[in-house]
Amino acid sequence: MTIKEIYELSKKQDKSIEGKEVTIKGLVRGNRFMGNVGFILLNDGSCFSSLQIVYSSTDKKAQAIRMGCSISVKGKIHLTPEAKQIVELESMKIDLISDVEEDYVLQKQRMSFEYLREIPQWRVRTNTFNALFRIRSTLSYYIHEYFHKNGYLWIHTPIITGNDCEGEGQVFDVLASGDKVGESKYFNSPNPHLTVSGQLHVEPFALAYQKVYTFGPTFRAEKSNTTRHAAEFWMIEPEIAFADLDTLCKIEEEFLKYVVKNTIQDCEDDINVFASFIDKNLKTKLNDFLTKSFEFVEYSDCINLLKKAQKEGVKFENNDIDFGLDLNSEHEKYLTEVVFKKPIFLRNMPKDIKAFYMKLNDDNKTVQAVDLLTPGIGELCGGSVREDNYDLLLKRIKELKMPLESYKWYLDLRKNGSMPHAGFGLGFERLVMLVTGIDNIRDTQPYPRNYRNMLF
Amino acid sequence: MTIKEIYELSKKQDKSIEGKEVTIKGLVRGNRFMGNVGFILLNDGSCFSSLQIVYSSTDKKAQAIRMGCSISVKGKIHLTPEAKQIVELESMKIDLISDVEEDYVLQKQRMSFEYLREIPQWRVRTNTFNALFRIRSTLSYYIHEYFHKNGYLWIHTPIITGNDCEGEGQVFDVLASGDKVGESKYFNSPNPHLTVSGQLHVEPFALAYQKVYTFGPTFRAEKSNTTRHAAEFWMIEPEIAFADLDTLCKIEEEFLKYVVKNTIQDCEDDINVFASFIDKNLKTKLNDFLTKSFEFVEYSDCINLLKKAQKEGVKFENNDIDFGLDLNSEHEKYLTEVVFKKPIFLRNMPKDIKAFYMKLNDDNKTVQAVDLLTPGIGELCGGSVREDNYDLLLKRIKELKMPLESYKWYLDLRKNGSMPHAGFGLGFERLVMLVTGIDNIRDTQPYPRNYRNMLF
């Protein structure tokens, strides 16, 4: 029996477990001896809550057990509906499995997140990170469940690739022994590198199955250290045939609400940790996210709103507000937190600030792109309808001086049994940040990888 | 409405869809004109089966539609329970969405798998690969579902790492611009490379949550081209606290049967493709896999069985059969296909042929390792109980002259709130091969990456 099961039955006041003998193994979260009786908090990882073990004053071995040890406890369950904790385990026998060293790092005192980042192998045993990685796993599961239930296929797009989707060039090269940068003998390829996006590779599958998605690691070799960017992160990229911009937005909203709603239902105790210690407004924010309709806003209208704010005296750091501006996070913040007070779909952006594959509008200036901006987080998803016109796509690739030969396979998709399609990309860690209120991406990953930072 | 939904309702002979007007969009799989009536096979990717569209002799545009085109058809559903296909769509209007070029590669004639590997962007439109990637996605889904239902957390272990789990050295280096092999300024690390396994990184999480798993890409830079090895492949690695070798085997068997059973139920039509064209015995094999209990066999007994076979005149290419032999695939084949005729758990192997982290038995010669060998595939999973004795693990790391400093964090896990634990690794593509009968790993991946082989 797990501690999770014991709590679930106790909440229902299921009398059948009263007096039941069980053996629970796990890590000690605390040990208090009160003179005639002692209490150990035991956590088996099945849920956030620890189980209170009650031992008698005669058990000298139990008194000596320190925080962090692993133990095995045989005992009897007692329902205690009137007490602070609704159930406890009366110890019959406690065995030490593994002690801790004198200098074991996780002592009672609070440690900063910065310090804990240096010990990823231990921080999962602290309350915050124990809750965090349970939430991360649960979010991941519901992402797959949403897509599966809705008829999407998961396509494992490649990690090592010769194509650079965003055309940015900030990529990690991949070398086998004997290879040189720019000449991989191993792959017979000039530039094998780590993928920045699975989108181009998933598109042929969208034409065959109409609803597909990727969920895998992606990489950026940016030499900067921000709280929102990582060198390695996971991305979700659905691609949907026959979706227009409105449909795409509706799917994004439905998908995100499904995943967040199910996760916070399953992880109530974990969310409470963040609502108590990280962001006092977390529950209100999450409730807003789930209950308010996301707003559809045109990019050009946003520029006007920002100009109006400027005239009314709002000070931005970047005051060059005009058509063509790639919104800074201060502008996103103003729009989502001051003007709309909810997530907004920012639509139809200038083509010059967007990727080559986005569908050109008839105005010849904007593309059918949509960024989902949310209060607190900023950009959560970026998506677009894809350019399905062969000639326009070819023209754009040439304008941007991209290596045509590398994109021939992609272009040809527009000539043979093509269809209109659209998709978006969601940086998974941004979603973890949204749900937990954690404000540094390094605290959302088991082993963060950043500029100048890689442990193990 | 999707073609899948139409078939599901038609199978139930649901009369409510008779005469219903629907619009279906998808790819044309064939077009036959019979003089007074024509038939288009239309596939929308929602299931393996195509829908028969019936059009009249007056529709000259429909007659001209070629295989591979994408079209939109408005029509009326008719149940035809007596006909070969149980439902058809009477066309009211057919619109061409996208034609195909004259030299479109997917013509009527059969193409070899070798040829199709050169065109990964198109082969998903062929029957075999369309079925294959649907099976691949479904297997993936049930892997997550099994673990989620059984209380495991999914941990995203890192892709870029400085640790080499298997200690083999056949890894891909990862370089940012300006970096040199052996000196990464980007990561401040001597040897950032692509992971060969998430096991070491997931172990700290197993101590906290007791049941965890990874499911992600892994990499080997082996300069060889076999039908079973890839440079990039996906691996599943569960890690379970307090599991001994027997428990580990039971979990492996339950897990694999769950995933395979659910997948072949969901993908009946897709499996039929492989049973008809790839492996006539596939259904018997899959039935055997699901219904027979996997056999527990000691490594030492297997050596004796192979020696006995040798004496009885069985010829192996490698006849050096003695304790210490790392079984070749011919030996595995003999054991699973001739002796046991079912999957076997080969247990307690010599320590010298196994990884450093495996738990030493009291005989001081063997470790608590288990390989799951299956008829046809050979090794499907490799697992072990992990060495939880600090001193023995340290001794082994020193014996193997591994860089102690790199493994300090891992060793320390054995000193602080440690627990016994065990886990296994499953190469995901091997599972796809098992379920489909496909015998080359390159035909199980959307974009295979091998020695001298990487497209896009």
Side-chain angles (χ1 to χ4, degrees):
Chain A
M1 205 171 224
T2 64
I3 292 176
K4 185 180 182 185
E5 287 162 347
I6 292 173
Y7 271 108
E8 281 171 356
L9 293 168
S10 302
K11 271 181 200 154
K12 291 185 210 150
Q13 301 220 25
D14 185 324
K15 297 270 164 59
S16 72
I17 58 167
E18 174 61 41
K20 190 177 162 76
E21 277 187 30
V22 292
T23 299
I24 309 282
K25 299 168 180 179
L27 293 172
V28 173
R29 288 290 179 85
N31 188 0
R32 288 179 299 138
F33 186 64
M34 313 294 281
N36 56 349
V37 69
F39 304 97
I40 285 175
L41 279 177
L42 183 64
N43 189 284
D44 71 353
S46 62
C47 62
F48 179 77
S49 298
S50 299
L51 183 63
Q52 177 158 286
I53 315 293
V54 185
Y55 60 87
S56 87
S57 58
T58 57
D59 193 342
K60 300 293 171 199
K61 265 167 58 186
Q63 282 180 49
I65 285 169
R66 292 184 291 179
M67 197 177 105
C69 293
S70 52
I71 60 172
S72 172
V73 183
K74 189 178 169 191
K76 281 184 192 161
I77 297 172
H78 295 300
L79 297 175
T80 51
E82 299 82 20
K84 195 179 151 209
Q85 64 292 327
I86 59 172
V87 63
E88 61 184 29
L89 191 70
E90 178 197 352
S91 163
M92 298 158 69
K93 188 165 189 298
I94 300 183
D95 289 310
L96 182 69
I97 300 170
S98 163
D99 208 344
V100 290
E101 296 178 288
E102 283 300 330
D103 60 352
Y104 177 57
V105 289
L106 297 187
Q107 305 294 339
K108 277 258 172 187
Q109 65 270 25
R110 269 186 104 76
M111 280 165 290
S112 71
F113 282 2
E114 287 74 17
Y115 178 70
L116 289 169
R117 261 172 237 149
E118 303 293 313
I119 46 168
Q121 75 275 40
W122 302 120
R123 69 175 175 170
V124 57
R125 301 186 185 188
T126 66
N127 281 338
T128 308
F129 287 95
N130 198 267
L132 188 124
F133 293 115
R134 189 174 292 104
I135 291 170
R136 186 178 163 109
S137 172
T138 309
L139 285 167
S140 308
Y141 178 72
Y142 284 113
I143 288 168
H144 284 303
E145 188 180 88
Y146 174 85
F147 287 125
H148 181 76
K149 278 190 178 169
N150 287 282
Y152 289 71
L153 296 192
W154 181 16
I155 306 299
H156 298 87
T157 48
I159 307 303
I160 305 174
T161 169
N163 270 96
D164 179 0
C165 175
E166 305 286 340
E168 285 177 2
Q170 296 211 319
V171 297
F172 290 106
D173 291 304
V174 173
L175 275 75
S177 76
D179 281 352
K180 286 177 197 156
V181 174
E183 186 199 347
S184 166
K185 285 182 188 160
Y186 187 92
F187 282 121
N188 262 347
S189 162
N191 64 337
H193 59 267
L194 296 180
T195 186
V196 298
S197 159
Q199 182 204 317
L200 301 195
H201 290 95
V202 91
E203 285 191 24
F205 292 82
L207 298 177
Y209 299 117
Q210 302 199 14
K211 295 203 267 184
V212 295
Y213 72 108
T214 71
F215 185 2
T218 48
F219 305 85
R220 301 285 155 87
E222 285 167 29
K223 289 182 181 166
S224 66
N225 257 331
T226 81
T227 55
R228 290 192 190 190
H229 294 87
E232 175 178 327
F233 56 100
W234 283 62
M235 194 133 82
I236 296 111
E237 296 179 281
E239 190 74 26
I240 308 118
F242 302 110
D244 59 15
L245 205 59
D246 283 2
T247 308
L248 185 68
C249 294
K250 279 177 202 149
I251 291 170
E252 272 186 58
E253 182 168 350
E254 183 190 86
F255 159 72
L256 286 166
K257 287 182 172 175
Y258 179 91
V259 170
V260 171
K261 188 177 169 206
N262 280 287
T263 300
I264 64 181
Q265 266 171 9
D266 283 11
C267 298
E268 200 185 333
D269 290 341
D270 306 284
I271 296 289
N272 283 338
V273 176
F274 296 94
S276 303
F277 299 108
I278 304 296
D279 180 354
K280 299 278 177 208
N281 293 316
L282 184 63
K283 289 201 174 181
T284 309
K285 285 181 187 169
L286 289 173
N287 191 52
D288 281 357
F289 187 84
L290 292 178
T291 54
K292 289 185 180 175
S293 290
F294 297 0
E295 192 83 25
F296 284 28
V297 199
E298 292 296 302
Y299 168 87
S300 53
D301 293 337
C302 283
I303 293 295
N304 291 335
L305 285 165
L306 292 168
K307 279 185 175 169
K308 184 164 162 261
Q310 236 176 353
K311 274 193 199 146
E312 290 167 4
V314 178
K315 299 269 177 252
F316 296 112
E317 279 188 42
N318 179 356
N319 276 300
D320 276 345
I321 294 163
D322 230 323
F323 181 89
L325 172 70
D326 199 357
L327 300 195
N328 298 108
S329 98
E330 54 174 343
H331 307 124
E332 293 176 357
K333 229 178 156 62
Y334 180 80
L335 289 167
T336 55
E337 296 175 13
V338 180
V339 182
F340 295 101
K341 297 186 174 68
K342 58 165 154 173
I344 63 172
F345 286 117
L346 180 71
R347 294 148 54 106
N348 296 309
M349 266 81 85
K351 69 174 180 178
D352 293 332
I353 58 171
K354 286 293 170 183
F356 76 97
Y357 50 72
M358 298 188 176
K359 190 170 178 62
L360 193 63
N361 280 314
D362 291 341
D363 63 13
N364 214 10
K365 287 196 311 184
T366 59
V367 286
Q368 293 181 25
V370 55
D371 285 350
L372 175 60
L373 310 179
T374 60
I377 301 292
E379 188 185 326
L380 189 62
C381 305
S384 75
V385 179
R386 316 310 186 185
E387 184 58 79
D388 59 341
N389 179 308
Y390 179 88
D391 296 320
L392 290 177
L393 186 60
L394 177 65
K395 189 174 161 228
R396 192 75 186 130
I397 287 175
K398 285 180 176 171
E399 271 171 13
L400 295 169
K401 299 191 170 60
M402 293 164 63
L404 191 56
E405 199 45 45
S406 299
Y407 292 92
K408 188 179 179 306
W409 69 277
Y410 180 73
L411 270 162
D412 285 350
L413 296 173
R414 272 67 182 162
K415 279 192 165 173
N416 295 286
S418 181
M419 308 167 182
H421 50 106
F424 66 89
L426 163 65
F428 177 57
E429 281 77 7
R430 295 259 171 107
L431 185 61
V432 180
M433 291 165 83
L434 179 117
V435 171
T436 59
I438 284 282
D439 62 6
N440 191 321
I441 193 169
R442 285 171 240 193
D443 297 326
T444 67
Q445 302 183 306
Y447 296 88
R449 273 82 178 92
N450 300 83
Y451 186 44
R452 302 276 155 94
N453 172 39
M454 182 183 78
L455 281 176
F456 318 141
Chain B
M1 206 173 223
T2 64
I3 292 176
K4 184 179 183 186
E5 288 162 346
I6 292 174
Y7 271 109
E8 281 171 355
L9 292 168
S10 301
K11 271 180 200 155
K12 291 186 211 152
Q13 300 220 26
D14 185 324
K15 297 271 164 56
S16 73
I17 58 166
E18 173 61 40
K20 189 178 163 79
E21 279 187 30
V22 292
T23 299
I24 310 281
K25 298 169 182 180
L27 294 172
V28 173
R29 287 289 178 86
N31 188 359
R32 290 178 299 138
F33 186 63
M34 314 294 283
N36 55 349
V37 68
F39 303 99
I40 286 174
L41 279 177
L42 183 64
N43 189 283
D44 70 354
S46 61
C47 61
F48 179 77
S49 299
S50 298
L51 183 63
Q52 177 157 287
I53 314 294
V54 185
Y55 61 86
S56 89
S57 58
T58 56
D59 193 342
K60 300 293 171 199
K61 265 167 57 185
Q63 284 180 47
I65 285 169
R66 292 185 290 179
M67 198 178 104
C69 293
S70 52
I71 61 172
S72 171
V73 183
K74 189 178 168 189
K76 282 183 191 162
I77 297 173
H78 295 299
L79 297 174
T80 52
E82 299 82 20
K84 193 179 154 211
Q85 64 292 328
I86 59 173
V87 63
E88 60 184 28
L89 191 70
E90 178 197 354
S91 162
M92 298 159 68
K93 190 166 189 296
I94 300 183
D95 290 310
L96 182 68
I97 300 170
S98 163
D99 209 342
V100 288
E101 294 178 290
E102 283 300 331
D103 61 351
Y104 176 57
V105 289
L106 298 187
Q107 304 295 339
K108 277 258 172 184
Q109 65 270 27
R110 270 187 104 76
M111 280 164 290
S112 71
F113 282 2
E114 288 74 16
Y115 178 70
L116 289 169
R117 262 173 236 148
E118 303 294 313
I119 47 168
Q121 75 275 39
W122 302 121
R123 67 174 176 171
V124 57
R125 300 185 185 189
T126 66
N127 280 338
T128 308
F129 287 95
N130 198 266
L132 188 122
F133 293 115
R134 190 174 291 106
I135 291 171
R136 185 178 163 110
S137 171
T138 309
L139 285 168
S140 309
Y141 179 72
Y142 284 113
I143 288 168
H144 285 304
E145 188 181 87
Y146 173 85
F147 288 125
H148 181 76
K149 278 191 179 169
N150 288 282
Y152 289 70
L153 296 193
W154 182 16
I155 305 300
H156 298 87
T157 48
I159 308 303
I160 305 174
T161 169
N163 271 95
D164 179 359
C165 175
E166 305 288 340
E168 286 176 1
Q170 295 211 319
V171 297
F172 290 106
D173 291 303
V174 173
L175 276 76
S177 77
D179 282 352
K180 284 177 198 157
V181 173
E183 186 199 347
S184 166
K185 283 183 188 160
Y186 187 92
F187 283 121
N188 261 347
S189 162
N191 63 338
H193 59 266
L194 296 180
T195 186
V196 297
S197 160
Q199 182 204 317
L200 302 195
H201 290 95
V202 90
E203 285 191 25
F205 292 83
L207 299 177
Y209 299 118
Q210 303 199 13
K211 295 203 266 185
V212 294
Y213 72 108
T214 71
F215 185 3
T218 49
F219 306 84
R220 301 284 155 87
E222 285 167 28
K223 288 183 181 166
S224 67
N225 257 332
T226 81
T227 56
R228 291 192 189 191
H229 294 86
E232 176 178 328
F233 56 100
W234 283 62
M235 195 134 81
I236 297 111
E237 297 179 279
E239 190 74 25
I240 309 117
F242 302 110
D244 58 17
L245 205 59
D246 283 1
T247 309
L248 186 69
C249 293
K250 278 178 204 148
I251 291 170
E252 272 185 57
E253 183 168 349
E254 183 191 87
F255 159 72
L256 285 165
K257 287 182 172 175
Y258 179 91
V259 170
V260 172
K261 189 177 170 209
N262 280 287
T263 300
I264 64 181
Q265 266 171 8
D266 282 13
C267 298
E268 201 186 332
D269 291 340
D270 306 284
I271 296 289
N272 283 338
V273 176
F274 296 95
S276 303
F277 299 108
I278 304 295
D279 180 355
K280 298 280 177 206
N281 294 317
L282 183 63
K283 290 201 174 180
T284 309
K285 285 180 187 170
L286 289 173
N287 192 51
D288 281 356
F289 186 85
L290 292 178
T291 55
K292 290 186 180 175
S293 290
F294 297 1
E295 192 82 25
F296 284 28
V297 199
E298 292 297 302
Y299 169 86
S300 53
D301 293 337
C302 283
I303 292 296
N304 291 336
L305 285 166
L306 291 169
K307 278 184 175 169
K308 182 163 163 260
Q310 237 176 352
K311 274 191 199 147
E312 288 167 5
V314 178
K315 299 271 177 251
F316 296 112
E317 280 188 40
N318 179 357
N319 276 301
D320 276 345
I321 294 165
D322 230 323
F323 181 90
L325 171 70
D326 199 356
L327 299 196
N328 298 106
S329 100
E330 54 175 343
H331 307 126
E332 294 176 356
K333 228 176 156 62
Y334 180 80
L335 290 167
T336 55
E337 296 175 14
V338 180
V339 183
F340 294 102
K341 296 186 175 65
K342 57 168 159 170
I344 63 172
F345 286 117
L346 180 71
R347 293 149 54 108
N348 295 310
M349 266 80 86
K351 69 174 180 179
D352 293 331
I353 59 171
K354 286 293 171 184
F356 75 98
Y357 49 72
M358 297 188 176
K359 189 170 179 65
L360 192 64
N361 280 316
D362 291 341
D363 63 14
N364 214 10
K365 288 196 312 185
T366 58
V367 286
Q368 293 181 25
V370 54
D371 284 350
L372 175 61
L373 311 179
T374 60
I377 300 293
E379 188 185 328
L380 189 61
C381 306
S384 75
V385 180
R386 316 310 186 183
E387 185 57 79
D388 59 339
N389 179 308
Y390 179 88
D391 295 320
L392 290 177
L393 187 60
L394 177 65
K395 189 173 162 232
R396 193 76 185 128
I397 286 175
K398 285 181 175 170
E399 271 171 13
L400 295 170
K401 298 191 170 57
M402 293 165 62
L404 191 55
E405 198 45 46
S406 299
Y407 292 92
K408 188 179 179 309
W409 70 276
Y410 180 72
L411 269 162
D412 284 351
L413 295 174
R414 273 65 182 163
K415 279 192 166 175
N416 296 285
S418 181
M419 307 168 183
H421 50 106
F424 67 90
L426 163 65
F428 177 56
E429 282 76 7
R430 295 260 171 106
L431 184 62
V432 180
M433 291 165 83
L434 179 116
V435 172
T436 59
I438 285 282
D439 62 5
N440 192 321
I441 193 169
R442 285 171 240 191
D443 297 325
T444 67
Q445 302 184 306
Y447 297 87
R449 271 84 177 90
N450 301 83
Y451 186 44
R452 302 276 154 93
N453 173 38
M454 183 184 77
L455 281 177
F456 318 140

